[in-house]
Amino acid sequence: MLLLSLLLALLGAGASRLLVRRDLERIRELTGTADRIASGDLHAQLPEAVGVSEVDELAASLKRMVSSLTTSFDQLQASHAQLRTFLGDVSHELRTPLTVVRGYVELLENHDQLSAELRARAVSRSMSEIERMQALIADLLLLAEFTERTEPLRNEVDLTAIVREQIIDLMSLEPNRDITVELPDEDVVVLGDRRALESACTNIFGNIRRHTPADAPVRITLAADAGACALVMEDGGPGLTEAQYAVDVDAL
């Protein structure tokens, strides 16, 4: 009995030692992985649970925690990317009406050479662009609260009036530019968001003023047929360089 008891004690001690050694190895592995995660490596892989011991339960809990942290980190990075895009859109959208206002203010500085009609036009357009900026800021604040609109706006918009207003601005700010205009006899009315259409047209005309020589010719054509319309704006600017045309867009 004494020998049997001694043998069983030795077997139990050996089995316990093996189990303890296994758990200690897994604890060391978990500790090393936790150190890598604490250093910023959120994609470090925790060992898979292979049993039902407390160490295995700890490994499973840590794995769930790291998975949750990784998901939260990826969402935070996506939010930061959206914020950068949002700020870029804000700066671009606000720059265009500011350019129009600045152009008319520069005209008003030479008020001795302006007719009363042109002065009134400059003041009126400056005020309308300021109002557009106020509406744009209100929209941007709304977008900050609601990431997306549930339904797009589809109101009747007089596209001819929007284009004609931009043409008058271009002629007033750059009287030496050769401008050819082809507008239909009847106003072109489309379904859409008036502010978005105004912003798109203002951006295009603003790019013409900023990126083409003042004497480069411009042709604006608006046509409607069979329930559809086409607005074409062509300018005689230098265009893109050969290197820019050679850029692989898919690689960007």
Side-chain angles (χ1 to χ4, degrees):
M1 291 294 293
L2 180 61
L3 291 175
L4 181 60
S5 298
L6 181 60
L7 180 60
L8 291 175
L10 290 175
L11 291 175
S16 298
R17 185 176 180 181
L18 290 175
L19 292 175
V20 170
R21 179 183 296 177
R22 169 185 170 276
D23 287 343
L24 287 176
E25 290 178 353
R26 290 183 61 77
I27 289 174
R28 283 194 292 269
E29 189 176 359
L30 288 173
T31 302
T33 305
D35 288 339
R36 292 198 300 273
I37 294 172
S39 300
D41 184 10
L42 294 180
H43 297 285
Q45 296 294 323
L46 287 165
E48 295 289 341
V50 294
V52 293
S53 68
E54 287 79 1
V55 176
D56 292 314
E57 293 178 0
L58 175 61
S61 298
L62 286 175
K63 191 166 186 178
R64 289 193 297 270
M65 182 189 69
V66 172
S67 177
S68 178
L69 288 174
T70 303
T71 301
S72 299
F73 182 74
D74 293 340
Q75 291 175 348
L76 182 60
Q77 285 188 319
S79 297
H80 284 170
Q82 291 176 352
L83 179 60
R84 289 192 295 268
T85 302
F86 177 77
L87 293 177
D89 292 341
V90 169
S91 61
H92 184 270
E93 291 294 333
L94 290 178
R95 181 177 59 186
T96 301
L98 283 173
T99 302
V100 176
V101 172
R102 179 179 178 179
Y104 276 115
V105 169
E106 291 174 351
L107 280 179
L108 290 173
E109 288 180 348
N110 303 320
H111 57 86
D112 295 337
Q113 304 175 6
L114 296 179
S115 63
E117 181 181 357
L118 189 53
R119 283 199 300 271
R121 167 74 183 178
V123 172
S124 175
R125 287 293 296 133
S126 297
M127 290 301 298
S128 66
E129 287 301 307
I130 291 174
E131 291 174 356
R132 195 166 78 86
M133 281 190 290
Q134 291 175 335
L136 181 59
I137 292 172
D139 286 344
L140 292 173
L141 292 175
L142 184 62
L143 284 175
E145 298 179 4
F146 303 100
T147 56
E148 60 182 11
R149 183 181 293 164
T150 55
E151 294 183 1
L153 292 179
R154 293 183 62 83
N155 299 323
E156 289 189 354
V157 181
D158 188 348
L159 185 59
T160 305
I162 295 176
V163 174
R164 186 181 292 113
E165 189 174 68
Q166 294 297 327
I167 292 172
I168 295 174
D169 285 347
L170 185 62
M171 290 179 173
S172 301
L173 297 174
E174 297 183 342
N176 296 325
R177 188 185 291 275
D178 180 15
I179 303 174
T180 303
V181 180
E182 297 180 10
L183 299 179
D185 296 332
E186 297 182 359
D187 292 341
V188 177
V189 177
V190 298
L191 292 178
D193 187 335
R194 180 177 183 84
R195 290 180 182 176
L197 290 171
E198 286 179 340
S199 177
C201 292
T202 302
N203 286 335
I204 295 174
F205 278 90
N207 288 336
I208 291 175
R209 291 194 298 271
R210 284 192 300 270
H211 302 299
T212 65
D215 58 351
V218 173
R219 178 189 296 273
I220 299 101
T221 305
L222 177 62
D225 183 35
C229 69
L231 175 60
V232 181
M233 302 184 189
E234 305 168 281
D235 65 79
L240 299 177
T241 63
E242 292 296 330
Q244 289 171 320
Y245 277 115
V247 171
D248 185 2
V249 178
D250 295 332
L252 296 178

